[in-house]
Amino acid sequence: MEQMSSEDGGATETVSLGRRDQGDGAPIPGEVTVDECSAPDSNPRPPHKPFTVQLECDIMQIILTAVSLATRTWQLGLPRAVVFDELHFAKFVSLFLRNVFFFDIHPPLGKMLLAAAGSYSGFEGNVSFDRIGSEYPANVPVVQLRLIPAVLGSLIVPLVYQIAVELGLSRWAALLAGAFVLLDNALLVQSRFMLMEGMLIFFSCLAVLSYLKFRNLAHREFSVQWWWWLCVCGLALTCTFSIKYVGFFTSVLVLFHIFKDYWNMLAETSRTEISLTKHLIARVLLVMAVPVAAYIAMFYYHLSSLTKAGPHDNIMTSAFQASLEGGLATLTKGQPLYVAYGSQITLRHTHDTVPGRPCWLHSHQTVYPIKYPDQRGSSHQQQVTCYIFKDVNNWWIVKHPDRDSLVVDEKPQSVKHGDIVQLVHGMSSRALNSHDVAAPVTPQNQEVSCYIDYNVSMPAQNLWRVDITNKEGSDDNWQTIKSQVRLIHVNTTTALKTTGKQLPDWGHHQMEVAADRVINQDATIWNVEEHRYTKSLEKEKQSLDLRQSEMIPLEPTHLSFWSKFLELQMKMIFSNQDAELEHKYSSDPTEWPFMSKNIAYWMSPFSNAQIHLLGNPVVWWCASLSVATYTALLVFYILRRQRNIYDITDAEWDRFVFQGELLVGGYLLYYVPFFLLDRTLFLHHYLPAIVFKILVLAAIIDHLHNIFHRNRIISSVVTYTAVALFTCAVYSFYLLTPFTYGNQPLSEEEIQHLTWQESWDFLVHARKA
């Protein structure tokens, strides 16, 4: 206490200069304090301190980050061998660094980041890998290539911690969420190698955190921080689905909440229309327009860099292939530009009916069976198919219907839009034909064959009209590669198409070709890929003669960026490369939540040291149960509130609902769609959902602790349960580390001891006799 005298020297008054307590920290009742009553100048402003920056550090977040980096980067160069899908991604990096075009069903950002690390390390990409377990050559910077996924995977831990804080969870609950991510063996394994999921989850978490930061700055709208986090959110969303298209689910989740917030904002009568318009423009610009522009820019760099032909060219159209250096561009260089009567051509189906499987119009000496298994009859004519390999039987000669000659005139007569032609098979000399007979596999269509004259009442119907679907202006000439044509059967007005169906044994399992009355469809479009002029009258020499003309293209075909971009997007989105792939370690979505199956990533050729994608069972099982617990609690609260019984405050209810919409919604978005996919699936497809359900677990524990905080017994039970789960997770993580790092030569007994579920499949070298 301090005695303060009045100005007239009279009685004194006692004023506390600081809050006193009674010994237990509580203030003395009735005592006036400076905090409660102070003179106008008794609390002066703190002195101005120019050139200073105030920082606030979360020590626990720093510790989590450091431990995460240590666990993800420890012995990063081991094993120095190809681990699981590094077989593909290391190969893509090698091709990228040599500017060789490659095709992958996923966007290129992840491969570009790996290639940047390789280029910085002096790697030139002049290696190839043929199988999992192959040793990397000495010139491959394995540590540097694995470092980017490892670092980004490490940062998932502090991001999850901060997401929990921004959601309003206590720091202890946030610590639990970060620790469970840190202790998950599956997330650790996936972050230590040249794989995509670690980078995908990092950008996904960054997008969610940026959105929460932006949302929590609603009281400081249009401030620098507000704009910053909205911009980071948009770019993080771009990066997420630019690693893998499955990352688009994060965009759906975040965009839903951003525009839901805006919808709620419309109900605020205090806001002006100008303010609402500014908010809408900001959201549309930074989380929609900027991501789209960044995505396109990424592909512009990707396609501008990959200018050379590579092993995946045949997936793309003929025009795309011809625009690359080498490959088809080399084959087509020097070939005539315009198709003429007497031209030898190969016809490629322009739009792959089966994505990723191009095919060419083909025929062979085999005929259709007299009767099919359903007792339908056929024409017994020579088969016409679409063959997925280049072959000498893919060549056809364009013949004028009024002339017998199969050679090109001295002055070539070009075939034009609307002309009637015959197509003669180069090897069998039989003409492409169709007639009113049902196709073998799709009887609603018309059979296509090469005509054999059996001297029966079935005359040839071998006239076809050339319809160019993409002709420009007045140029009606049928051009090599560029022109997309439909061949219309004159007698029946049907269009030549490939149905996408596979013929049985009698058709050598090639693709069915038929004629369809529905003309306007992608399946009926073809283009000339290889082309040469026939000059020799002798059949044996016809396929050897080439025509060099003034119309010959001497440079690779030019294709605009937009044409390449759109074609590549369609191929990537609709490709089904893995649809029919069988794999020992493939799994079903029903097996993921409780981790019924693992995946073998690598095994030492000298011992039982091995690496498996295997999560922490304590984390996975408890997190899966927490999703069910949240759902049950939500239903319970809704039913109670319907009867006007309010177990929690409105503020707590709003927070509980929002956490569920974001976390359970994110989990379901990354999990449920896999039930609809008809392709081979693996456990690593489930990893993006893991982070969301771990956050659900932390949110449930925090919620239960909050609503029972007045009940010491139940509150203590919740606390001790959380501590017990953490302890068990640490112990489980420790026991499974031999399968995480692959640095321990396990014995058969040790492997058997660690097989906690019968469905887990670990490897053991056969004992030598």
Side-chain angles (χ1 to χ4, degrees), residues 22-194:
Q22 307 175 63
D24 60 354
I28 298 175
E31 183 173 358
V32 180
T33 66
V34 171
D35 295 332
E36 297 164 353
C37 181
S38 59
D41 59 348
S42 63
N43 188 22
R45 295 181 181 178
H48 179 59
K49 297 179 181 179
F51 316 120
T52 60
V53 176
Q54 291 184 342
L55 296 177
E56 185 179 273
C57 294
D58 188 325
I59 300 300
M60 187 51 65
Q61 193 171 23
I62 294 174
I63 293 173
L64 284 172
T65 304
V67 177
S68 181
L69 281 167
T71 56
R72 270 66 178 170
T73 58
W74 184 60
Q75 294 187 340
L76 193 59
L78 300 178
R80 191 180 171 82
V82 177
V83 176
F84 196 58
D85 276 350
E86 282 190 337
L87 177 67
H88 304 299
F89 297 122
K91 189 180 300 182
F92 292 151
V93 169
S94 177
L95 293 171
F96 192 97
L97 292 173
R98 288 183 283 133
N99 303 113
V100 175
F101 176 79
F102 62 86
F103 176 80
D104 185 27
I105 61 174
H106 305 300
L109 180 60
K111 279 82 72 177
M112 291 166 67
L113 292 174
L114 295 178
S119 178
Y120 179 78
S121 304
F123 181 45
E124 297 180 353
N126 51 349
V127 294
S128 61
F129 318 100
D130 55 356
R131 61 180 179 83
I132 296 172
S134 299
E135 289 291 322
Y136 284 114
N139 64 328
V140 178
V142 176
V143 173
Q144 289 85 342
L145 289 171
R146 290 174 177 172
L147 188 60
I148 286 184
V151 171
L152 295 184
S154 301
L155 295 178
I156 296 171
V157 174
L159 285 177
V160 167
Y161 175 89
Q162 193 61 39
I163 287 172
V165 171
E166 295 296 328
L167 280 170
L169 274 60
S170 69
R171 298 277 172 164
W172 290 107
L175 171 60
L176 194 67
F180 281 162
V181 173
L182 174 68
L183 295 170
D184 185 62
N185 303 73
L187 292 174
L188 193 157
V189 167
Q190 204 70 11
S191 299
R192 285 176 50 80
F193 303 106
M194 288 174 254

Side-chain angles (χ1 to χ4, degrees), residues 621-754:
W621 298 343
C622 293
S624 295
L625 291 175
S626 71
V627 175
T629 303
Y630 176 89
T631 306
L633 270 176
L634 180 65
V635 172
F636 172 78
Y637 285 146
I638 290 174
L639 294 176
R640 297 270 289 177
R641 294 173 76 87
Q642 185 66 21
R643 293 182 56 81
N644 292 325
I645 302 172
Y646 299 93
D647 301 285
I648 56 178
T649 65
D650 287 343
E652 183 68 24
W653 166 251
D654 291 341
R655 188 173 68 156
F656 182 79
V657 171
F658 175 70
Q659 290 172 356
E661 288 177 346
L662 187 69
L663 302 181
V664 178
Y667 172 75
L668 295 177
L669 275 173
Y670 271 107
Y671 179 48
V672 174
F674 286 104
F675 286 93
L676 307 177
L677 292 184
D678 183 21
R679 55 171 296 185
T680 307
L681 298 174
F682 296 91
L683 186 63
H684 62 73
H685 289 119
Y686 185 60
L687 292 181
I690 296 298
V691 172
F692 285 100
K693 75 174 184 178
I694 288 175
L695 282 163
V696 174
L697 174 58
I700 285 294
I701 292 175
D702 185 68
H703 178 72
L704 294 177
H705 188 273
N706 287 340
I707 63 176
F708 292 116
H709 72 281
R710 295 183 183 276
N711 189 320
R712 289 190 175 183
I713 297 177
I714 298 180
S715 179
S716 298
V717 169
V718 173
T719 302
Y720 290 137
T721 300
V723 172
L725 290 178
F726 173 76
T727 304
C728 292
V730 171
Y731 186 60
S732 175
F733 173 82
Y734 170 75
L735 291 178
L736 293 176
T737 49
F739 295 129
T740 302
Y741 294 101
N743 57 354
Q744 296 184 31
L746 300 170
S747 65
E748 290 187 38
E749 292 74 19
E750 290 173 321
I751 293 175
Q752 186 64 34
H753 180 69
L754 291 172

Side-chain angles (χ1 to χ4, degrees), residues 34 93 97 317 380 421 447 739 755:
V34 171
V93 169
L97 292 173
T317 62
H380 203 48
V421 301
E447 181 190 271
F739 295 129
T755 307

